[in-house]
Amino acid sequence: MDAIGDSAQGQRLVNFRIFYLITQLVGIAIIILMAAWISLFLGGFGWSTPAIEFNWHPMLMTIGMIYLFGNSITLYRGLRYARKKNLKLSHASLFGVIMVLIILALIAVFNSHNMAKPPIPNMYSLHSWIGLSAVILFGCQWVAGFVSFMYPQVGGPMKVTYMPIHIFFGLFAFVLAIIAALLGITEKAVFHMGAEKYSQLPDEAFVVNSIGALIVTFAGLIVYLATNENYRRAPLPEDAMLLIGHDDERHNLLSDDASSSS
């Protein structure tokens, strides 16, 4: 029976690695296609004119709120053999990097709107409403998660209680970011090409639609990897040894793998 169990566990790990590799390839493809769209059709990158400055917004948001955010959600499961303390630090640090990218992306979009002649109104579209909601929720997740899981003064029972909330709102923020991205690239494509040209599916439209399809695929893979119980990270022996004598942290050890989907 143990041999059968080990074999099944090994197969689950193989399946996870396959899906995880596919997820990484899809995420990298999204970044490459986004850079290609901006470089070939939207004038490239720079800070010289409002239109060019705007291009940093979709690029940085794609890297931060899609690719890196997705990877932060699956970090515990993807790096399952790393020490838990290191994973916590990496998870929090990755959130910090994403926040920096978000700030730069928001500066780019607000500057490009305000400096345009005539100025373009801010925060009027559904894309901006959902996007800002995703950003605010992400920021709250980062602060609440840092306080709850990085401060030793917070007891194990409280961590256990907060963990399902952290998981849910982490995935919810990611889904909001995906929706905002799809709305944003469609909005930009229609503004740039015009509805009539877009409907004829020129090369630019094909690139835009491919980006959108890959974003949906990436999101589906991330949610699948994060919610499949077969792919949970098992606590390492050294994690348990590290926590001997710390009752609060033993509570956290029992539930902390759930943060693999936070």
Side-chain angles (χ1 to χ4, degrees):
M1 292 297 292
D2 289 342
I4 295 175
D6 291 343
S7 176
Q9 178 61 30
Q11 186 59 52
R12 287 193 291 267
L13 184 57
V14 170
N15 293 341
F16 172 82
R17 287 171 174 168
I18 292 173
F19 279 110
Y20 190 74
L21 176 60
I22 294 172
T23 303
Q24 296 305 312
L25 294 175
V26 172
I28 293 171
I30 292 169
I31 294 174
I32 293 173
L33 278 180
M34 179 61 72
W37 177 35
I38 293 171
S39 299
L40 297 176
F41 299 101
L42 301 181
F45 299 96
W47 300 92
S48 56
T49 65
I52 299 301
E53 182 177 351
F54 170 85
N55 292 340
W56 285 108
H57 177 75
M59 189 73 252
L60 295 176
M61 283 298 195
T62 298
I63 296 172
M65 284 296 282
I66 297 178
Y67 182 70
L68 293 182
F69 193 4
N71 274 280
S72 73
I73 290 172
T74 57
L75 180 69
Y76 279 74
R77 300 186 179 201
L79 303 179
R80 61 180 60 243
Y81 297 116
R83 293 288 297 272
K84 182 170 295 181
K85 181 179 180 180
N86 294 335
L87 288 173
K88 287 183 178 181
L89 291 173
S90 298
H91 187 69
S93 299
L94 193 54
F95 265 48
V97 172
I98 296 170
M99 184 58 69
V100 171
L101 295 177
I102 289 171
I103 292 172
L104 293 175
L106 292 178
I107 290 173
V109 70
F110 281 111
N111 276 354
S112 66
H113 282 196
N114 296 334
M115 295 171 61
K117 297 181 180 180
I120 301 172
N122 293 306
M123 300 302 301
Y124 70 90
S125 66
L126 182 59
H127 161 68
S128 63
W129 287 21
I130 293 180
L132 187 60
S133 298
V135 167
I136 293 173
L137 186 54
F138 176 86
C140 292
Q141 278 285 104
W142 184 30
V143 173
F146 189 88
V147 171
S148 298
F149 302 118
M150 300 300 291
Y151 274 69
Q153 291 83 356
V154 178
M158 184 175 295
K159 294 178 182 179
V160 172
T161 300
Y162 175 65
M163 182 63 73
I165 300 172
H166 187 66
I167 293 170
F168 172 78
F169 282 104
L171 284 173
F172 184 44
F174 180 66
V175 170
L176 283 180
I178 295 298
I179 295 172
L182 295 175
L183 290 171
I185 62 174
T186 302
E187 180 181 292
K188 180 62 178 179
V190 172
F191 285 169
H192 186 251
M193 287 182 281
E196 182 176 353
K197 183 178 180 181
Y198 190 13
S199 67
Q200 297 172 7
L201 198 65
D203 291 343
E204 181 179 358
F206 184 81
V207 172
V208 170
N209 290 354
S210 298
I211 293 172
L214 287 175
I215 287 175
V216 172
T217 303
F218 182 76
L221 288 168
I222 289 293
V223 172
Y224 170 70
L225 292 176
T227 58
N228 192 318
E229 290 298 313
N230 290 326
Y231 300 152
R232 287 174 63 95
R233 173 188 180 274
L236 302 179
E238 53 264 38
D239 290 331
M241 292 176 63
L242 183 66
L243 299 178
I244 290 175
H246 298 278
D247 292 338
D248 282 348
E249 290 299 324
R250 275 202 293 270
H251 278 290
N252 193 28
L253 175 63
L254 295 174
S255 66
D256 201 36
D257 178 58
S259 64
S260 62
S261 58
S262 65

